[in-house]
Amino acid sequence: MADKRSLRSRKVSERMAVVDQAERKRVVQARLAALEEDNHREEDFGAGGSDDEEFEMPAEGSDAEEAPASKRKKKKVKVGGGMRKTRGMIAEKAKGPKTFRDFLEEAELERLPEGAPSYLTAAVGPPRTAAPRKFCSVCGDMSAYTCTRCGSRYCSRRCHAVHTETRCLKFMA
Amino acid sequence: MQDVVVIDLGGGSVKMGSARRPDNPKVFPNASAKQKGERGTFLGEAMLGMKDVGVLALRRPVDRGFVVGWDLQREILARALKSLLGGVPPASCGLVLTEPYHNLPALREAAVRMAFAELGFSSVYLSTPAPLSLRAHAARHPELPASQAGCGLVVDAGFSFTHAVPVFDWRVLPAAVRRIDLGGKALTNFMKELVSYRSINMMDEAYLLEHVKEQLCFVSQDVRADLAAARTRRSPHRREYVLPDGLTDTWGHVRTEEEAAAAAAAAQQAARGGGPPLPKQPVLVVNNERFMVPEALFHPSDIGMEEAGLAEAIAAAVQAAHPHLHSLLYSNVLLTGGTARCPGFRERLLKELRPLVPDDYELNIFLADDPALCAWQGAALLAASPLYSQLAVTQKEWRSRGAAALAKWDQ
Ligand SMILES: [Zn+2]
Ligand SMILES: [Zn+2]
C-alpha cells in the first residue's frame, strides 16, 4: 500500500510538480459543468439491451475523463430492425439531443441591436465584493492554507493529509 | 366559460391543474426515470409512484432552464393531461403555460406548436413566472401600494437558475432582469459531491439527494459562528439521515434522537456480549453541508463561480430599472421558487440586502405562502379572469398569422 502510494506521488511529481493557473481554472470549470448534469455515470445504465436508446448516449458536457467510456459505448449502439445504421446516423445519435447551448448559438443573440435585452444581457456578472471566501476543500471549514501543488484550500494538517491522499492532482492522473 | 388548464413548466417539476380547481394542482417531476437494470421507464407523474428512488438514470426535457427535449416534454405533459382532464378534450380548453425569462424565439414557437398541434388546446397564453407570482401575492396583499401598481421585485429561485425580476404594471422589465446561473439542481449536485467525498458515495443518487437537501438544508445567519459550532465534538448541526431500506421506507428519513439512543443502547448491549449483533443501517452523516450548500447562492464565488450573489443581483436589477421605480420595487420584494423554502432564506437575504439599499427606502421582503406553487396560483387567477381571453392566442390566429400572432405578448 505504502509502496503504491509513493510510486504514485513520484509519477505525479515527475510529470508536473505544480499545476498552473490555466489548469486550475479548467478544473473549476469542469466541476461547475458537472453541477448541471443529471446523471453521474450514464454508461452504467446502457448495458443489458436498453429499450430506450437515448439512455445510451454519453452525458452532454461529459468531461475528458469520461471520453474513453463514451467511445466504448458508441460501439455498443444497437443496430435495430434489421436495418444497418449508417455511420452518419450513429454519429448523430452519439451527439445526443440538442442542448440549450445549441439553441443559444442558433439564436445568434449577439446580432441583436446594441442594448436589446436578451439572455446574454441578463447575466448578473462578477461580484463587486472583493476576495472570495476561503473554505477547506476537505471538511468545509474556514481555511488558511493553499496546497502548493494544486491550489486547493485546506484548514489543518489533518485535512491536508486527506487531501494529498485522495484528491491532490488526482484529476491529472 | 371554457376551462383553462394551467401549467407551470419548471425544470425540476411540473405544476399542472385546472383554473376551476385552484386549490389542488398536481406537482410531479419534469423527467423520466429508469432504474438500474430495469427495462421500464417512469414518465413524469408516474415517478411519484416509484417505490425505489435510489440509483436512477434521469432524463429531463429541460436543459439550463429551457425546454430542449420537446418529444419527451410532450409525452410527460400528454400523459398527465389525460388523467387531469378525464374525457374532456383539450380542444375545449385554453392553456396558460410558463416560459423562461428571455425565451429564445425558436423555443417559444416550439412551445406554442406543442400546445396547439400536439396537445390540441384551442388557445394559449405564455407568460414568465414572475408576473404570475406577483398576481398571487397581490391578491393576498391588496393593501400594498406596489400591489395596486402591479409592481414588485420577484426573486425566482428555481431549479435551473435564480432570477431577480423587476415587474411593473404586471410586465417584466426585460432589460433589468438579472440571472445567477445557480439553481436547486446545482445545489443538489453540490451537496451530492460533498457528502460523497465525506460520508457515503451518493454520486448516482441525485434524485434522493434532492429530497435530503429539502429536509436538512438551511440558510445560515452567521457562517463563521455556524462553522465554529459545526467544528465542535457535539455539533448542533450534525444530523444522520437513514437511507432508504428498499422495503418500507421509500425516501429514508432524518434519524430521530430516540432512534439514535436506541441504536447506542443496542450497541452497548452488543459490546457487553449480550443480544444479537446490530443490523447495519446505512446512515448519511451531514454537518456543515446543511448550510454550506445553500450558502453558494449568496456567494457563488465560494464554489468558484465568478458571479454575484443574490443580494447583489437584486440590487443590480433594481438599479437597471427606471429610478422612479426603485423605492416601489424595494417595498415589495417577493421570494418564490423551491429554493426559497429553505429555512432562514428570507432573514439572511434581508441582512445582506439592507446595506445595499439606500437608507431612506423601505425594504420589505415577503416569502410567498407556497414559494414553489406561487406562479401556478397566480396563473390560475389570471386564467379564471377575463384577462385570459385578451392575452391568449387562438389556434386560428396561430394558423393564419404564425409567429406574428405572438408579438402581442412582448408589448
Ligand atoms: Zn479542513
Ligand atoms: Zn493539492
Side-chain angles (χ1 to χ4, degrees), chain B residues 302-315:
Chain B
D302 288 355
I303 59 167
M305 264 179 106
E306 288 169 26
E307 293 191 20
L310 186 55
E312 268 191 51
I314 293 171

Side-chain angles (χ1 to χ4, degrees), chain A residues 31 35-40 49 51-52 54-55 100 119 122 124-125 128 133 138-141 166, chain B residues 39 56 58-60 63 66 178-179 185 189 193 197-198 203-204 231 288 295 302 307-308 312:
Chain A
R31 194 173 151 231
L35 294 183
E36 291 299 330
E37 275 176 28
D38 282 314
N39 296 304
H40 174 51
D51 57 354
D52 185 344
E54 272 175 286
F55 273 104
F100 172 64
Y119 176 84
V124 70
R128 280 185 301 173
R133 307 182 296 182
V138 176
C139 73
D141 211 332
T166 60
Chain B
R39 288 184 70 88
L56 296 176
L58 290 180
R59 278 172 69 209
R60 300 185 192 274
D63 175 30
F66 292 77
R178 290 295 177 269
R179 180 190 69 249
K185 177 181 185 175
N189 281 339
E193 186 194 286
Y197 184 51
R198 297 175 192 165
M203 287 310 280
D204 288 326
R231 199 180 302 141
N288 67 27
E295 196 60 28
D302 288 355
E307 293 191 20
E312 268 191 51

Side-chain angles (χ1 to χ4, degrees), chain A residues 119-140:
Chain A
Y119 176 84
L120 302 176
T121 62
V124 70
R128 280 185 301 173
T129 40
R133 307 182 296 182
K134 316 275 192 211
F135 299 107
C136 174
S137 62
V138 176
C139 73

